[in-house]
Amino acid sequence: DEPFRSLVHQGTILGPDGQKMSKSKGNTINPDAYISRYGSDVFRTFLAFGFAYTEGGPWSDDGVRAVAKFISRIEKLVEDTLPMRKASPLSRDAGEAEKELRFVRHHAIRSVTTDADRFQFNTSIARLMELLNAIQKYLADGGDNNTELVGAVDDLLRLLAPFAPHFTEEMWELTGRSTSIFDETWPAHDPAALVRDAVEIAVQLNGAIKFRIEVPTAAGQDEIRETVLGDDRMQALLTGRNIVKFIYVPGRLANVVAK
């Protein structure tokens, strides 16, 4: 019997011209040159992010530079948030900005945990990029809840550690830890953090999207119907028409059928 339950074949990384690498074609890539310039962690993370693991694809210098910028942004974030680690925790309740940051944080935890286990490393890195963007947006908007912020930064480092082990170990030490990041427990997502108070849905008229609105997540069909039909934009669209049917797909769309 085969000594495994399943076998995952990695795809082939092609030359920048989209052809199979060959010395005769002059399209080979020397990893040493990139590692010398960007470091092994950037190279390693690009290999995870730049291609679907089972498909491969053409090499991209732009992709390497993008990952290098991603890593540099994280380094700056860790340095900029060091003072917040020493500040006293805020006592006020979390506002909408904190809830949004918490949503992206726990969505990243859930997604990376699932995708990495399925060899979907490229989507794992994409979720980490989204988390970094969310943290930086929270800071840019004046967010000051250091408990939420520091927690998000720490989880970003933990989730990135398998892809950029040397870099995250260095950043972990920079935050004041005396133990290795690889002695840390893998983050677990909080299902409650993934439930939004409100959600944006598409509003359709006879199957064609006309606009989008934000509605309470817990709202039922009757409440959604009242909100949609009471919107000035929908009332203008319904001039001279009779409503035949109202369809609501929770959390996604509302469709008004009218003649």
Side-chain angles (χ1 to χ4, degrees), residues 108-135:
I109 294 172
R110 183 181 65 177
S111 298
V112 174
T113 301
T114 302
D115 289 353
D117 194 49
R118 296 185 297 194
F119 289 79
Q120 295 176 355
F121 305 130
N122 55 337
T123 56
S124 297
I125 300 298
R127 298 294 82 76
L128 296 181
M129 290 178 173
E130 291 174 357
L131 176 56
L132 173 60
N133 289 338
I135 295 172

Side-chain angles (χ1 to χ4, degrees), residues 11 15 40 52 74 78 82 123 127 129 171 178 190 201 231 238 257:
S40 60
I74 294 177
V78 173
L82 287 178
T123 56
R127 298 294 82 76
M129 290 178 173
M171 292 298 100
S178 58
D190 178 6
I201 65 169
D231 190 283
L238 291 175
V257 181

Side-chain angles (χ1 to χ4, degrees), residues 56-256:
W59 181 265
S60 170
D61 283 352
D62 288 341
V64 178
R65 286 189 286 269
V67 171
K69 183 178 180 181
F70 168 61
I71 295 296
S72 295
R73 288 172 60 199
I74 294 177
E75 182 175 13
K76 186 176 187 304
L77 173 67
V78 173
E79 292 172 347
D80 289 347
T81 54
L82 287 178
M84 297 183 180
R85 296 179 179 275
K86 301 176 182 179
S88 300
L90 293 179
S91 58
R92 62 175 172 78
D93 294 336
E96 290 303 316
E98 285 76 26
K99 290 179 181 178
E100 179 62 22
L101 176 59
R102 192 179 300 170
F103 174 86
V104 179
R105 172 186 175 184
H106 288 273
H107 175 63
I109 294 172
R110 183 181 65 177
S111 298
V112 174
T113 301
T114 302
D115 289 353
D117 194 49
R118 296 185 297 194
F119 289 79
Q120 295 176 355
F121 305 130
N122 55 337
T123 56
S124 297
I125 300 298
R127 298 294 82 76
L128 296 181
M129 290 178 173
E130 291 174 357
L131 176 56
L132 173 60
N133 289 338
I135 295 172
Q136 291 186 320
K137 182 180 185 302
Y138 179 75
L139 280 171
D141 291 344
D144 58 358
N145 189 317
N146 52 345
T147 301
E148 289 291 339
L149 185 61
V150 169
V153 173
D154 285 351
D155 280 343
L156 174 61
L157 293 176
R158 292 187 185 99
L159 295 171
L160 180 63
F163 305 100
H166 309 91
F167 169 74
T168 51
E169 184 79 313
E170 183 178 342
M171 292 298 100
W172 198 249
E173 182 178 346
L174 184 62
T175 63
R177 269 71 169 223
S178 58
T179 57
S180 171
I181 192 172
F182 295 100
D183 289 330
E184 291 292 308
T185 301
W186 184 257
H189 78 277
D190 178 6
L194 298 177
V195 179
R196 291 184 184 272
D197 294 333
V199 62
E200 185 181 72
I201 65 169
V203 177
Q204 300 177 338
L205 178 62
N206 294 331
I209 296 178
K210 298 301 181 180
F211 56 90
R212 295 178 180 275
I213 60 172
E214 193 170 87
V215 297
T217 303
Q221 178 160 320
D222 291 342
E223 185 177 347
I224 299 297
R225 176 188 173 95
E226 182 178 348
T227 300
V228 170
L229 298 182
D231 190 283
D232 291 341
R233 292 167 292 182
M234 179 55 69
Q235 290 184 5
L237 292 169
L238 291 175
T239 302
R241 298 173 183 245
N242 294 318
I243 299 174
V244 176
K245 192 175 185 180
F246 181 85
I247 302 169
Y248 177 54
V249 180
R252 292 183 57 192
L253 63 88
N255 182 32
V256 179

Side-chain angles (χ1 to χ4, degrees), residues 17-32:
D17 57 0
Q19 303 296 314
K20 189 173 181 180
M21 290 189 192
S22 168
K23 289 184 178 180
S24 62
K25 294 179 181 177
N27 65 348
T28 58
I29 295 297
N30 181 3
D32 292 344

Side-chain angles (χ1 to χ4, degrees), residues 1-15:
D1 292 338
E2 294 175 334
F4 40 76
R5 295 182 179 179
S6 64
L7 176 63
V8 179
H9 281 287
Q10 74 272 24
T12 300
I13 299 177
L14 307 173

